[in-house]
Amino acid sequence: MPGKSWCVAGYDRQSAAELVHRGYNPLVAVLLSSRGATTPRAIAELTASGLEEISSPYLMKDMEPAVARIKKAIAEREHVAVYGDYDVDGITSSTLVADYLRSKGVRCEVYIPERLEEGYGVKNSALETIADMGVTLVITVDCGITAAENKRYAAGLGMDMIITDHHEVSGELPESPCVDPKRPDCPSPAKMLAGVGVAFKLICAVEGEENTERLLGIYGDLVAVGTIADVRS
């Protein structure tokens, strides 16, 4: 890209060499060193991968009203739309939530904006298209935290909206459940989740926290791909 340059994170060669001396693969040693994990405790914390590392989805602000609205949509077999983003994070988020809702018998549309013509974020023209399908609930994934005006427009079209996002909050929050760990008032420790991570937290809350391991078995690959690919994570 013209005018852009790579900013490559470095690592401490001495600490990496010490890790190699302690038996770590050289590539792993460089990775650990670049993350500042050079002590046994720091390495254990960085590489921990058990279910105990997954915080409760209900630590996220507005998770309870979001879950209640989705459960109502499932019970009443509403027509739902998942509104995503055109990048890998947005697509994996959309796939995850739509597949889950369809597994519950919900008729679910997926709307991914056209990158060049529509750009990023929720657009009123897209909401009109969705409303024409008969949708009564829109769930955003990887976008929507700045869509306060669009939420009002959706309400005028007869649609409720649930926001799930992971971007920084700026300005007015939409008057709807807004699940975003970057909210200043969100107590969740999971601040660095990609959009697909927030979407996964949402379905874990709907399905019940005791089913997290089973849901990881179904959707873990989507969560991993979306997280690794997202440049903002």
Side-chain angles (χ1 to χ4, degrees):
M1 297 175 64
K4 302 291 184 179
S5 61
W6 287 98
C7 181
V8 180
Y11 68 96
D12 182 73
R13 292 180 179 274
Q14 181 60 37
S15 64
E18 291 175 359
L19 289 171
V20 171
H21 182 71
R22 285 156 52 186
Y24 287 92
N25 176 281
L27 185 59
V28 173
V30 168
L31 176 61
L32 292 172
S33 178
S34 71
R35 299 292 181 89
T38 57
T39 66
R41 180 176 180 178
I43 293 170
E45 290 177 352
L46 180 65
T47 58
S49 60
L51 289 175
E52 67 277 2
E53 300 297 318
I54 301 177
S55 60
S56 170
Y58 284 102
L59 290 176
M60 289 190 169
K61 188 76 173 179
D62 279 0
M63 184 63 82
E64 289 188 12
V67 168
R69 183 63 184 87
I70 290 172
K71 286 185 174 181
K72 177 178 182 293
I74 293 172
E76 298 181 6
R77 292 295 188 267
E78 292 185 52
H79 194 174
V80 179
V82 177
Y83 194 121
D85 188 22
Y86 46 70
D87 66 1
V88 177
D89 188 18
I91 292 170
T92 52
S93 301
S94 300
T95 301
L96 187 158
V97 175
D99 184 79
Y100 174 76
L101 292 175
R102 289 167 181 165
S103 76
K104 296 299 179 181
V106 174
R107 183 181 176 190
C108 185
E109 313 291 340
V110 174
Y111 191 93
I112 303 292
E114 205 287 326
R115 181 169 190 163
L116 297 179
E117 293 184 5
E118 295 179 271
Y120 173 79
V122 181
K123 300 291 188 287
N124 288 345
S125 58
L127 292 174
E128 291 173 1
T129 299
I130 292 169
D132 287 343
M133 299 176 185
V135 167
T136 54
L137 173 63
V138 178
I139 303 173
T140 75
V141 290
D142 192 29
C143 65
I145 200 63
T146 60
E149 187 279 326
N150 306 103
K151 194 285 173 184
R152 288 190 284 268
Y153 194 78
L157 296 172
M159 299 186 296
D160 291 333
M161 185 177 287
I162 293 171
I163 307 295
T164 75
D165 203 346
H166 72 124
H167 295 102
E168 298 288 347
V169 177
S170 61
E172 175 189 5
L173 280 174
E175 294 178 358
S176 62
C178 295
V179 182
D180 185 337
K182 295 288 180 61
R183 286 181 58 166
D185 59 347
C186 180
S188 173
K191 301 297 184 185
M192 297 308 293
L193 287 176
V196 69
V198 179
F200 181 73
K201 291 279 192 184
L202 179 71
I203 69 165
C204 285
V206 175
E207 188 70 3
E209 293 182 74
E210 68 278 8
N211 295 301
T212 297
E213 185 172 11
R214 178 174 61 81
L215 291 173
L216 268 177
I218 300 171
Y219 299 113
D221 53 350
L222 289 173
V223 177
V225 170
T227 299
I228 292 170
D230 192 56
V231 297
R232 295 183 179 87
S233 297

